[in-house]
Amino acid sequence: MLSTHRRCAVAAAAAATTAALTLLGAGLPSVAPAADEPDLSRFYQQKITWAACKGDGIPKDLQCGKVTVPLDYARPGAGTLDVALARYRATGKSRGSVLLNFGGPGVAGIAALADGGKDFMGLTNGYDVVTFDPRGVGQSSPVSCGEGSAQVFAKLDASLDGSDPQAALTQLQKVADECAKHSGPVLPYIGTINASRDMDVMRAALGDKKLNYLGFSYGTRLGAVYAAQFPKKVGRMALDGVDTLTEPLAEQGLVSAEGQQTALDSFITWCVKDVACPFGQDPRSARQQVVQLVQSLDRDPVPADFGQQLSGQDLVGAIGQALYSKQLWPSLEGALANLVQNGDASGILRLSSGGMARPDLPRPGARPSDRPSGGPSSGLVDPGDVPVDNPPAALMAITCADTPDRPTAKQVTKNMDKLRAAYEEASPVFGQYQLTEVLICYGRPKGTDFIRDEVRAVDTPKMLLVGTRGDPATPYRWTMETAKRLGDSAVVLDNKGEGHTGYGSSRCVSQKIDAFLLYGSLPANGSSCGPEADR
């Protein structure tokens, strides 16, 4: 089975909203705050009360709790919100906790750990394994764009395909308005800067002097930001599927399109060796047939379950999701064969529901919540009340909070043709899909400059960075660029495999990360793990 953190990790940056955040000093008050700093001591002195997690299908040994954090760290008296936590207890003597983030941004950690906890049981030999739903995500004041978001995104795809930039901008503004309407007061305070500060409150509440951490995909950005904000609090930190810290959204989208196209080419090369491949046995012809299939479905979508239709862009999203792991390639081959030969989209829909690839349509029969979240004192939301569109809404909000890039209407209109051509050249299959994501930050408040400008040359203990050569979402070059940016603290492990991230799919990567987190044993910088068996 594909591990949960790999199914939930998200390929490309996509967009949303938030104002620039006021950054306080990296150090935190140990006795009393400085005269010009707010008093955060009540948040750092809290203790977590653990109890069995609620919900159907939740493992009995998974415990849940919460910490309370300021809505705005610059004004801690202006309101609070609760951040949901979950843990597996250490099986023996615990040396403390290791905190996990499963990526996204927008992945709810509690659901991910409940579903894929077996991947991390080795870490319970020395740690309580803890995860959380970041602010705005899952049970922690979840953001939403409302039930009308599905229609807005559909019109946005049509606007881009029809070469009508002004119509696209109109749809983008509607997305922003709907998200602001349905997300509540937490929205301006969402993003990695505040999520990192929340993690330091968690560290103290867990009773740990140092933060031990394992982050995947977007979670590597969160870990890097923590290292910059709290360098003296970093314990053992492993970052798998390393995200970029510097590239603007337009460049991220191009890199993601290229990475997904490379992964698709690898899949096709694998597929055509099998007589059951629906595109025949010639790789070049097969690649052309995939492009033609996408174009055909965009012109004439096929019926799907619950009265939906499957368009070419829906197919692209499902393919992109399946390319996150080589373990899903046989399922992708079968789903494509069923679509091509029988017109049956059910297999493709199952693949597309395995995680998040971009802001997409809500699941059939489910309704987003109209309840505002993140009030002056916002408690946790019951798992069943989390808005169905929370993952893509949170992805948009966090991504745009983390970047200062905001194209003007004039820039978008002027550059649309050029952008479209560049994206289609990067990938004839994923180009339009990625272009839709890149533009979603249009019209939102400017995000923070901190990540791009300040996360560099961190003065921390050694950190392990894992990059996978065939990663369709976080290309290997980002691992090298981020390692160079972080400085002497970064140790790189080269995973010569396929798929997004290495832990849980590569035995070698899993063993090296566990050895580092449990025993402090680091591989040599630049060492590698070989590819796993094909089937």
Side-chain angles (χ1 to χ4, degrees):
M1 293 295 292
L2 176 60
S3 58
T4 300
H5 74 267
R6 291 165 58 78
R7 282 190 279 115
C8 292
V10 182
T17 176
T18 209
L21 301 173
T22 301
L23 298 178
L24 304 177
L28 288 168
S30 56
V31 178
D36 58 345
E37 292 181 351
D39 184 1
L40 301 174
S41 58
R42 68 186 178 105
F43 300 103
Y44 276 84
Q45 293 169 0
Q46 64 186 300
K47 300 297 180 183
I48 302 170
T49 300
W50 296 100
C53 296
K54 300 177 181 179
D56 296 334
I58 300 295
K60 295 181 179 180
D61 54 344
L62 187 66
Q63 296 180 320
C64 284
K66 68 177 182 180
V67 294
T68 300
V69 297
L71 185 65
D72 179 0
Y73 277 90
R75 300 180 302 122
T80 64
L81 59 88
D82 291 338
V83 175
L85 303 172
R87 74 173 180 179
Y88 284 108
R89 297 294 305 274
T91 54
K93 184 178 180 180
S94 175
R95 66 189 69 180
S97 303
V98 59
L99 191 64
L100 310 183
N101 180 274
F102 292 91
V107 172
I110 294 176
L113 187 61
D115 188 39
K118 64 181 183 300
D119 288 340
F120 306 96
M121 287 301 101
L123 293 173
T124 61
N125 290 333
Y127 291 109
D128 293 342
V129 175
V130 183
T131 192
F132 63 104
D133 290 356
R135 58 169 63 203
V137 177
Q139 298 178 59
S140 304
S141 301
V143 295
S144 172
C145 294
E147 64 179 306
S149 59
Q151 290 75 23
V152 172
F153 283 123
K155 290 179 180 179
L156 177 58
D157 278 337
S159 299
L160 291 170
D161 188 45
S163 303
D164 186 347
Q166 191 56 53
L169 296 180
T170 299
Q171 297 305 317
L172 289 168
Q173 191 61 61
K174 288 183 179 179
V175 172
D177 293 344
E178 288 299 304
C179 294
K181 176 182 177 181
H182 294 279
S183 292
V186 72
L187 192 58
Y189 305 102
I190 202 171
T192 301
I193 303 301
N194 276 345
S196 170
R197 304 204 67 170
D198 294 345
M199 287 205 306
D200 201 56
V201 173
M202 296 175 214
R203 174 199 58 76
L206 290 165
D208 294 332
K209 293 182 179 180
K210 305 279 187 178
L211 178 73
N212 301 305
Y213 178 79
L214 173 55
F216 301 101
S217 194
Y218 158 77
T220 68
R221 187 200 310 168
L222 181 57
V225 169
Y226 184 89
Q229 287 183 303
F230 306 99
K232 303 305 181 185
K233 300 298 183 182
V234 173
R236 295 171 183 171
M237 182 172 285
L239 309 178
D240 184 6
V242 182
D243 201 357
T244 181
L245 300 174
T246 59
E247 289 185 348
L249 287 179
E251 181 63 24
Q252 289 182 39
L254 279 173
V255 171
S256 295
E258 291 169 351
Q260 287 180 305
Q261 186 65 48
T262 298
L264 177 60
D265 291 344
S266 296
F267 164 75
I268 290 173
T269 299
W270 171 90
C271 181
V272 296
K273 295 177 182 178
D274 184 358
V275 294
C277 184
F279 306 115
Q281 275 62 62
D282 177 63
R284 184 174 181 179
S285 173
R287 287 191 288 270
Q288 293 173 343
Q289 289 180 60
V290 173
V291 174
Q292 292 166 359
L293 178 61
V294 171
Q295 293 173 343
S296 173
L297 289 173
D298 274 335
R299 290 192 302 268
D300 187 17
V302 298
D305 295 339
F306 302 99
Q308 289 185 317
Q309 290 187 317
L310 182 79
S311 69
Q313 296 309 300
D314 295 331
L315 174 61
V316 171
I319 292 174
Q321 187 65 44
L323 292 177
Y324 276 152
S325 171
K326 199 169 185 179
Q327 298 173 45
L328 281 178
W329 286 8
S331 297
L332 177 58
E333 179 186 32
L336 287 169
N338 208 19
L339 176 64
V340 170
Q341 296 164 5
N342 304 315
D344 185 350
S346 59
I348 294 297
L349 292 177
R350 283 194 295 271
L351 287 173
S352 67
S353 65
M356 302 181 313
R358 68 162 188 171
D360 227 330
L361 305 186
R363 298 286 171 258
R367 291 174 56 84
S369 172
D370 290 331
R371 173 194 45 77
S373 62
S377 182
S378 181
L380 299 182
V381 172
D382 288 338
D385 291 333
V386 176
V388 70
D389 74 323
N390 174 243
L395 184 150
M396 290 189 292
I398 295 167
T399 300
C400 282
D402 287 357
T403 176
D405 303 325
R406 294 296 183 274
T408 64
K410 183 177 180 180
Q411 289 171 329
V412 172
T413 302
K414 179 181 178 181
N415 297 327
M416 180 66 79
D417 289 342
K418 184 178 179 180
L419 270 174
R420 184 184 298 104
Y423 273 71
E424 290 178 353
E425 181 179 356
S427 171
V429 174
F430 296 99
Q432 180 182 328
Y433 194 83
Q434 291 293 345
L435 179 59
T436 304
E437 296 181 4
V438 162
L439 296 176
I440 295 177
C441 280
Y442 167 79
R444 309 305 176 91
K446 181 181 177 181
T448 180
D449 294 307
F450 179 82
I451 298 173
R452 190 173 296 175
D453 294 346
E454 304 296 332
V455 183
R456 62 173 72 239
V458 296
D459 183 16
T460 68
K462 296 291 186 181
M463 299 183 290
L464 179 59
L465 279 62
V466 181
T468 298
R469 291 283 179 165
D471 195 318
T474 51
Y476 184 78
R477 86 176 210 199
W478 284 355
T479 301
M480 301 306 295
E481 291 171 358
T482 299
K484 182 178 180 180
R485 186 175 180 83
L486 294 178
D488 294 339
S489 297
V491 173
V492 173
L493 176 64
D494 180 356
N495 178 30
K496 299 181 184 299
E498 302 288 341
H500 185 39
T501 74
Y503 195 91
S505 65
S506 166
R507 186 179 300 106
C508 172
V509 171
S510 298
Q511 289 173 346
K512 290 185 183 298
I513 288 179
D514 285 356
F516 171 56
L517 292 174
L518 287 167
Y519 311 114
S521 176
L522 268 172
N525 186 37
S527 60
S528 64
C529 285
E532 299 287 314
D534 279 352
R535 292 182 185 267

